[in-house]
Amino acid sequence: RQRGLPWSLYERSHDASQRNTFRILAALPEALDAREQLSLHYQPRVSLRNGECVGVEALLRWQHPLLGNVAPNDFIPLAEKTALMSRVTTWVLQAGIAQAALWQRQGHRFSVSLNVSAVDLERADFIATLRELLAQHALEPGRIEIEFTESAMIRHPQRMAEQLQQISTMGVKIAIDDFGSGYSNLSYLKRIPANALKIDQSFIRSLPDSRKDCMIVPSMIRLGHDFGQQGVAEGIESEEIYGMLREWGCDEGQGYWIA
């Protein structure tokens, strides 16, 4: 059906892939109810000017007792096609906001970034859930940043813009994630009350060898600044790339070279 063909020969590899998909989706509800399977790992985001940690991005990890480590790319796209996605996002919001509240009580000033999908932003109860959790944990809204990919705007741009405006009005920060990897549309950008523009790591990792990316990345940084947004580079994996981005005026960065 996906290939648009009237028939297809049986393929053992495709069958195995489908069976694995079924196993993952069948195991996910149990993981959401269990205490030990899902966890959040936090990658620091630092100021490229002084190296200070200004935030962390929460990355969802799943360690299943039988399937082992299930990569986010293996289960998040599947969950987005089912009603399970709302439960996954609610779990991430609860865990991330609880951790941010703990750090707030300990006197830390950095924010916590949480990734949400287009499906989440279209949910009527998403903002109510976010507001309720912030109040429950007495967390300052500015300590949370909601990250979404630019491709999320393609589905229902007007609805998305309205939802994001409400989130911004609450005081919660907004970041456009993986910028440049989807269908960038400047008309969407000017309607989004984003605080940060996160440049996709595919542009960063090719530095300094790619002449085109050496031209594109500074342009993205300037574009973000023109829209009043912080430029954030993802995937910094060497000191040389760190230095180049700092010279270009990039505000913040994250990647394995940093932490």
Side-chain angles (χ1 to χ4, degrees):
R1 190 159 62 238
Q2 290 173 343
R3 296 170 183 170
L5 299 173
W7 58 271
S8 178
L9 291 173
Y10 171 80
E11 298 175 30
R12 186 180 297 274
S13 61
H14 186 255
D15 190 18
S17 175
Q18 291 295 310
R19 289 172 185 269
N20 188 55
T21 295
F22 180 78
R23 278 196 296 267
I24 289 174
L25 285 175
L28 190 52
E30 179 189 346
L32 288 163
D33 293 329
R35 288 182 173 273
E36 69 283 352
Q37 291 193 34
L38 297 178
S39 63
L40 292 180
H41 291 202
Y42 299 90
Q43 183 176 49
R45 191 165 110 192
V46 303
S47 165
L48 297 188
R49 286 186 291 273
N50 58 23
E52 177 187 358
C53 180
V54 293
V56 295
E57 179 180 357
L59 305 171
L60 183 60
R61 297 292 180 262
W62 180 10
Q63 184 67 37
H64 189 272
L66 297 178
L67 301 176
N69 180 40
V70 185
N73 288 343
D74 289 338
F75 72 90
I76 293 297
L78 297 178
E80 286 181 333
K81 297 176 182 178
T82 72
L84 287 171
M85 193 62 223
S86 63
R87 290 190 60 194
V88 171
T89 299
T90 299
W91 190 98
V92 170
L93 289 176
Q94 290 172 336
I97 289 175
Q99 181 62 65
L102 175 60
W103 279 327
Q104 177 180 264
R105 291 193 297 272
Q106 293 173 343
H108 297 294
R109 299 299 307 170
F110 53 79
S111 60
V112 175
S113 298
L114 305 173
N115 291 278
V116 301
S117 69
V119 177
D120 299 318
L121 290 174
E122 290 174 358
R123 282 169 44 204
D125 63 341
F126 177 78
I127 291 177
T129 300
L130 181 59
R131 184 180 287 114
E132 180 182 327
L133 287 170
L134 290 171
Q136 177 184 332
H137 293 278
L139 180 66
E140 298 170 13
R143 296 296 188 93
I144 291 296
E145 181 179 71
I146 296 298
E147 290 191 20
F148 72 101
T149 61
E150 56 184 325
S151 57
M153 293 295 294
I154 296 173
R155 294 159 58 105
H156 303 103
Q158 183 61 38
R159 171 65 174 158
M160 290 290 172
E162 292 172 358
Q163 288 277 76
L164 292 167
Q165 187 59 59
Q166 290 186 56
I167 293 171
S168 178
T169 301
M170 289 168 55
V172 173
K173 297 176 183 176
I174 294 172
I176 303 172
D177 196 18
D178 298 338
F179 182 72
S181 63
Y183 298 95
S184 303
N185 188 316
L186 297 182
S187 67
Y188 294 167
L189 276 182
K190 69 180 183 181
R191 295 163 58 190
I192 300 171
N195 306 90
L197 189 69
K198 302 191 73 176
I199 302 170
D200 188 65
Q201 56 188 327
S202 62
F203 296 97
I204 306 302
R205 287 178 172 166
S206 62
L207 301 174
D209 300 325
S210 171
R211 186 176 64 86
K212 290 184 178 179
D213 286 341
C214 283
M215 297 169 58
I216 292 173
V217 172
S219 298
M220 288 179 170
I221 295 169
R222 288 193 298 270
L223 179 65
H225 289 168
D226 288 343
F227 280 106
Q229 299 159 355
Q230 296 283 97
V232 183
E234 298 183 287
I236 299 176
E237 297 186 357
S238 74
E239 184 176 8
E240 182 180 12
I241 294 175
Y242 185 103
M244 291 176 69
L245 291 163
R246 184 170 54 191
E247 289 180 14
W248 288 337
C250 190
D251 303 285
E252 301 169 6
Q254 62 188 83
Y256 293 143
W257 186 80
I258 298 168

